């Protein structure tokens, strides 16, 4: 079994604003002396993790399988408080119990009662343990005991936690090192962010046909290079040795990376796209990105063909200089009509 799986994709997005900065404009980065469009790895991972595809491929009821997806939230204490109070526990006691529960997952916010400062990723099994404890406290009308609180975090096999990891500052023994590394998607050519001046008309104002609203929205288009590295051995370890679940998780991640777009301003731009080129690699050698292929921005009118040519050229040259950087490979090329999604998914999950 090869330890590392690397996935390189090229995907073309039409005018869009997939991932906004603090000013509401598309995120960018300088590379090779020019400005490129960028989509952060955080945006990509959230789009994949919360997608309908992930739910269909990986979600299952706790008790039937250990492969349920986790939940990222700050609201575990708030939810416990609301359940306790709704069941007749006094507001004061419900607050005390909820605070004790919330502290298990992290420090509490000073200005928001029962809310945790940092997002905590809990598995379905751990969420079920919390629900069971709250129900027990309601039935027995008492405070949680230390042993019960300590048992809220435990060994789990949530596929998304195993892939993307989690960090608990106060409970480091329950930290999970991410088995999947995701690079920021970066445009392979220079891009200029443009502003769309738009107006809206009041349908019931027949006396004044002018604009009832005027605004601007920034957008840009690009072909993106996207890189993912999966440590299959670590993923298997994080999943407690469940090889079948590891295969499902890898296949689901690869399919999401090829077909699920970030959902930023989708209603305004309908910027849904599938990867038009993908290269999957398996091997035990130290992984490497192929972003070097785009240090010099692709120019000319055919970014698709130019991007594929640049990527495969650097891949081949890396092999010539360093020796084979992968034991085996599988490609998908929509432009040539070669390869298939199913073949690539079977390859990465093998």
């Amino acid at each position: 079994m090869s330890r590392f799986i690397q996935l390189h994709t090229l995907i073309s997005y039409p005018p869009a604003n997939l991932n906004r900065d603090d000013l509401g404009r598309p995120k960018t980065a300088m590379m090779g002396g020019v400005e490129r469009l960028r989509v952060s790895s955080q945006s990509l991972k959230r789009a994949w993790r919360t997608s309908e595809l992930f739910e269909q491929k990986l979600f299952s009821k706790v008790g039937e399988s250990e492969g349920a997806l986790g939940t990222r939230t700050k609201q575990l204490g708030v939810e416990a408080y609301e359940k306790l109070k709704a069941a007749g526990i006094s507001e004061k006691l419900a607050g005390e119990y909820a605070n004790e529960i919330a502290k298990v997952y992290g420090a509490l916010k000073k200005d928001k009662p029962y809310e945790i400062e940092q997002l905590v990723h809990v598995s379905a099994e751990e969420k079920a343990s919390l629900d069971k404890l709250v129900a027990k406290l309601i039935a027995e009308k008492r405070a949680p005991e230390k042993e019960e609180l300590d048992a809220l975090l435990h060994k789990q096999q949530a596929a998304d936690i195993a892939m993307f990891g989690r960090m608990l500052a106060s409970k480091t023994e329950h930290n999970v090192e991410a088995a999947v590394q995701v690079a920021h998607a970066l445009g392979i050519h220079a891009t200029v962010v443009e502003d769309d001046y738009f107006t809206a008309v009041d349908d019931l104002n027949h006396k004044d046909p002018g604009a009832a609203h005027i605004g601007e929205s920034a957008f840009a288009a690009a072909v993106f290079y996207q890189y993912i590295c999966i440590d299959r051995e670590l993923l298997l370890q994080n999943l407690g040795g469940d090889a079948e679940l590891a295969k499902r998780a890898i296949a689901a991640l690869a399919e999401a990376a090829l077909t699920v777009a970030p959902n930023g301003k989708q209603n305004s731009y309908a910027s849904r796209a599938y990867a038009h080129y993908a290269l999957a690699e398996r091997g035990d050698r130290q992984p490497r990105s192929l972003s070097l292929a785009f240090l010099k921005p692709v120019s000319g009118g055919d970014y698709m063909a130019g991007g594929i040519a640049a990527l495969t050229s650097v891949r081949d040259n890396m092999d010539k200089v360093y020796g084979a950087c992968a034991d085996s490979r599988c490609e998908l090329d929509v432009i040539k009509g070669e390869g298939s999604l199913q073949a690539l998914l079977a390859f990465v999950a093998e």
Side-chain angles (χ1 to χ4, degrees), residues 76 79-80 101 105 126-135 152:
L76 295 174
E79 186 179 90
I101 288 171
Y105 306 101
E126 291 168 326
K127 184 64 167 57
S129 295
L130 172 57
D131 293 341
K132 185 177 179 180
L133 174 59
V134 171
L152 289 177

Side-chain angles (χ1 to χ4, degrees), residues 157 235-244:
Q157 289 178 287
L235 179 62
L236 192 59
Q237 176 184 319
N238 288 349
L239 292 173
D242 190 333
E244 185 57 36

Side-chain angles (χ1 to χ4, degrees), residues 28-72:
T28 60
M30 291 294 294
M31 181 176 172
V34 299
E35 187 174 55
R36 321 286 187 97
L37 275 191
R38 175 173 64 92
V39 177
S40 72
S41 58
Q42 295 91 335
S43 175
L44 293 169
K45 286 185 284 188
R46 174 162 176 78
W48 302 336
R49 183 177 62 82
T50 60
S51 67
E52 185 177 339
L53 185 151
F54 245 49
E55 184 172 353
Q56 290 174 345
K57 300 292 184 180
L58 293 173
F59 182 81
S60 53
K61 293 180 181 178
V62 176
E64 294 180 4
S65 171
E66 299 274 322
L69 293 173
T71 301
R72 286 186 77 190

Side-chain angles (χ1 to χ4, degrees), residues 276-277 302 304-305 308 332-338:
H276 62 268
Y277 176 80
D302 194 346
M304 293 183 296
I308 294 172
L332 174 158
D333 190 331
V334 171
I335 308 305
K336 294 180 179 178
E338 297 175 351

Side-chain angles (χ1 to χ4, degrees), residues 183-198:
H184 290 225
L186 198 64
I188 67 172
H189 52 85
T191 299
V192 176
V193 177
E194 302 180 70
D195 291 301
D196 177 29
Y197 171 85
F198 66 89

Side-chain angles (χ1 to χ4, degrees), residues 169-216:
S170 60
K171 299 283 185 179
T172 57
E173 67 272 22
H174 295 293
N175 286 349
V176 178
E177 183 179 352
V180 175
Q181 299 169 344
V182 180
H184 290 225
L186 198 64
I188 67 172
H189 52 85
T191 299
V192 176
V193 177
E194 302 180 70
D195 291 301
D196 177 29
Y197 171 85
F198 66 89
T199 64
V201 177
D202 188 331
D203 293 340
L204 296 182
N205 187 351
H206 304 296
K207 295 181 179 180
D208 182 3
H213 174 77
I214 297 173
E216 288 185 353

